[in-house]
Amino acid sequence: MSTLLRKVWDSLSTRSISSSSNSISSVDQMTMYVQTASTGEFDRIPLDIFIQILKILGPKESAKMSLVCKSWKFIVCDNRLWIYFLQNQNEPWDSTFFAETHLRSGPLRMLSNSVSDLSFMSIFGQRAQVPGAIIIDGGSGYCKFGWSKYSAPSGRSATFFEFGNIESPMYSRLRHFFSTIYTRMQVKSSTQPIIVSIPICHYDDTESDKAARAQLKDAIHSALFDMNVPAVCAVNQAVLALFAAKKVSGIVVNIGFHQTSIVPILHGKVMHQVGVEVVGIGALKLTGFLKEQMQQKNTYFGSLYTVRALKENLCYVALDYKAELSKDTKSTFQIASEGCFTLSEERFKTGEILFQPCIAGMRAMGLQNAVALCIEHCHDVELMVDDSWYKTIVLAGGSACLPGLAERLEKELYELLPSCMSNGIRVLPPPYGVDSAWFGAKLIGNLSSFPTSWCVMRKQFRHSSRRKFMW
């Protein structure tokens, strides 16, 4: 049947071309033909069979069929057909659907679009034409980079140890950082738009912090545009992690390299006026505490990377810390060239310092208290009539991948908060593990409206008034 349909199309194309000698333009000829064409025996094909034929033909041939006649055009343009084609792409359909219904209008209009208002046939065609983007998620600890068309980041580097603190707006440091990543990817900076994650820093709603955030963002744009990057999209790292969870509003708990940030986000915008909570415990403290416990038991290890590997493969967060102390929790993990390591209570004590910092001799607020405080602030400011926007809590960062962390935090919040605030709270583990922010950027880079709706163009930036830095 698909062969017959192709013959029909070829026949129609031939007739259209052969009539080009007439005085009527080719466009007018096609219009007249579409209005008067009859598909003969094909008119008798049941609709469900016709849809199955189109699915077999694929998107390219199906699009051609829309030119045969008006009735076929109506069928071919049906959203359900093109949703089927999109579902068979490499990208997960739920992520594609979220991106096209929530993000395609850009950061200033991040409201859900009705499916009936969208043409998924157009979206399919536009996504096929999107050039893609270079994505650089430069966290304070580790940087992930790659092309948005890739299934995962193509490379990683130790940001802090290799480049220093990229959160400070130092032009030379940022320029060196971006140049190095482009060199490792073996691409020219002038060929692709770029999506950069902005580090979670300068948290307060004060004028000085507002200025510092603007300065950092301007420094990123300046460094990249001076490298002839055609378009730049710079988005807060916590916002990207939230997008990866297919949400535009919620609270992101990002366990970074040096500290943990609790970031309230509404419609893709960080609510600095609500308050970003910060706890001075990050991945480095967790690794350091595990190291101390191993040293106390005279366990030899080659480097801090060994300790980190043990943390990632053996450690977890107990749902009930006191009950866990009475259990046999021994487990062994083998590291190449170093042998086997056996840990017991260190496995859950390491993550416990997030909730009880005093165990590691630190004076800091427990994670559950900091998140509860953020929820209380969100509740008190009454930004929306519906208070469900802050009841989705998304974990982000490598150490947030510790098994049991999401369940423990959710349990603690239900115990700490009154029912009017705690009802409906859900704590979600990192949707893509350590790469959540990178995958959030990937959703933007593959949008049908990218780069127009999300990027600042080089000409646009250079013609605008920008802050002059003294480097």
Side-chain angles (χ1 to χ4, degrees):
M1 184 62 74
S2 62
T3 304
L4 288 173
L5 285 172
R6 284 195 178 93
K7 287 181 179 179
V8 170
W9 170 252
D10 292 339
S11 174
L12 296 177
S13 300
T14 303
R15 270 190 275 174
S16 176
I17 294 170
S18 64
S19 60
S20 59
S21 58
N22 296 333
S23 60
I24 305 174
S25 70
S26 58
V27 174
D28 290 336
Q29 291 171 25
M30 179 60 73
T31 302
M32 288 178 59
Y33 180 76
V34 167
Q35 289 175 346
T36 59
S38 171
T39 57
E41 292 299 316
F42 286 106
D43 289 339
R44 301 179 183 179
I45 299 176
L47 180 60
D48 58 339
I49 300 298
F50 187 69
I51 292 294
Q52 291 302 318
I53 293 171
L54 292 175
K55 288 179 179 180
I56 294 170
L57 287 177
K60 188 175 180 180
E61 295 298 327
S62 293
K64 291 180 180 179
M65 293 301 165
S66 67
L67 301 176
V68 174
C69 64
K70 282 186 176 180
S71 60
W72 282 26
K73 181 178 181 180
F74 179 78
I75 296 170
V76 170
C77 292
D78 191 297
N79 270 348
R80 289 169 294 182
L81 175 65
W82 293 93
I83 285 174
Y84 169 82
F85 289 139
L86 284 166
Q87 286 173 333
N88 286 274
Q89 299 291 293
N90 293 329
E91 301 295 323
W93 163 243
D94 55 348
S95 296
T96 300
F97 183 79
F98 162 77
E100 294 295 347
T101 54
H102 288 80
L103 307 181
R104 72 191 309 266
S105 297
L108 300 179
R109 298 180 60 194
M110 206 166 297
L111 298 174
S112 178
N113 293 305
S114 171
V115 175
S116 60
D117 295 334
L118 300 174
S119 167
F120 282 91
M121 182 178 179
S122 297
I123 287 172
F124 186 98
Q126 290 163 0
R127 288 178 71 90
Q129 299 299 318
V130 168
I134 300 299
I135 299 174
I136 301 179
D137 173 27
S140 56
Y142 293 89
C143 168
K144 283 79 70 176
F145 53 87
W147 191 39
S148 64
K149 299 291 185 179
Y150 293 161
S151 59
S154 58
R156 306 170 194 276
S157 63
T159 313
F160 183 77
F161 293 115
E162 187 172 355
F163 302 102
N165 182 16
I166 62 168
E167 295 175 4
S168 68
M170 294 287 290
Y171 177 91
S172 57
R173 183 177 293 157
L174 286 168
R175 180 73 180 262
H176 171 61
F177 169 68
F178 291 128
S179 297
T180 302
I181 300 303
Y182 273 109
T183 299
R184 290 177 183 173
M185 290 188 66
Q186 297 182 337
V187 295
K188 293 181 179 180
S189 58
S190 59
T191 58
Q192 299 283 348
I194 186 171
I195 303 173
V196 182
S197 69
I198 302 175
I200 306 168
C201 56
H202 312 300
Y203 316 94
D204 293 335
D205 198 36
T206 61
E207 291 303 317
S208 61
D209 271 21
K210 287 179 182 177
R213 289 194 296 269
Q215 190 180 31
L216 174 58
K217 194 169 184 177
D218 207 30
I220 291 171
H221 281 93
S222 296
L224 288 168
F225 284 131
D226 286 348
M227 293 168 60
N228 292 320
V229 174
V232 176
C233 171
V235 185
N236 185 280
Q237 194 174 45
V239 173
L240 293 175
L242 189 64
F243 289 170
K246 297 180 284 294
K247 301 289 180 183
V248 295
S249 299
I251 294 175
V252 173
V253 177
N254 184 76
I255 303 178
F257 192 60
H258 296 291
Q259 59 195 15
T260 297
S261 308
I262 296 92
V263 187
I265 299 167
L266 179 62
H267 298 318
K269 181 181 179 182
V270 176
M271 295 287 99
H272 292 284
Q273 64 270 37
V274 173
V276 175
E277 303 298 329
V278 180
V279 178
I281 302 173
L284 196 58
K285 287 277 177 65
L286 292 173
T287 305
F289 183 57
L290 178 57
K291 170 188 170 185
E292 291 175 12
Q293 294 176 89
M294 292 174 67
Q295 288 174 331
Q296 288 170 4
K297 292 192 173 182
N298 297 318
T299 303
Y300 172 79
F301 51 87
S303 68
L304 205 59
Y305 288 101
T306 300
V307 182
R308 178 184 163 217
L310 293 173
K311 180 189 75 173
E312 293 173 351
N313 290 280
L314 290 180
C315 291
Y316 64 95
V317 175
L319 189 63
D320 186 328
Y321 177 68
K322 289 183 179 179
E324 207 73 11
L325 287 169
S326 61
K327 297 178 182 178
D328 180 7
T329 56
K330 282 186 180 180
S331 186
T332 301
F333 183 75
Q334 183 168 2
I335 296 179
S337 76
E338 293 216 35
C340 290
F341 292 83
T342 300
L343 302 180
S344 54
E345 62 182 24
E346 303 94 339
R347 297 180 63 206
F348 60 89
K349 271 191 173 181
T350 299
E352 188 63 25
I353 68 172
L354 289 167
F355 298 91
Q356 300 186 67
C358 59
I359 292 176
M362 292 182 287
R363 298 181 63 183
M365 186 186 298
L367 179 62
Q368 72 279 26
N369 300 107
V371 177
L373 185 60
C374 183
I375 291 173
E376 289 172 356
H377 290 163
C378 291
H379 178 79
D380 292 342
V381 295
E382 298 181 344
L383 292 175
M384 296 181 67
V385 176
D386 181 8
D387 64 359
S388 63
W389 72 270
Y390 58 78
K391 292 190 175 182
T392 297
I393 299 164
V394 178
L395 302 181
S399 293
C401 297
L402 287 174
L405 177 57
E407 294 82 358
R408 171 67 178 278
L409 179 56
E410 188 172 300
K411 174 195 169 191
E412 294 281 351
L413 292 174
Y414 272 94
E415 292 176 357
L416 274 173
L417 295 166
S419 59
C420 64
M421 295 186 199
S422 62
N423 285 343
I425 283 179
R426 292 187 309 143
V427 180
L428 307 178
Y432 291 93
V434 297
D435 299 328
S436 290
W438 191 91
F439 275 92
K442 176 179 165 72
L443 291 181
I444 296 174
N446 291 336
L447 273 173
S448 59
S449 58
F450 187 84
T452 308
S453 61
W454 278 88
C455 287
V456 176
M457 305 299 172
R458 185 167 66 242
K459 290 182 180 179
Q460 177 186 351
F461 181 77
R462 286 179 172 170
H463 287 127
S464 64
S465 59
R466 58 178 180 171
R467 189 185 303 272
K468 301 297 182 181
F469 293 96
M470 298 298 292
W471 308 113

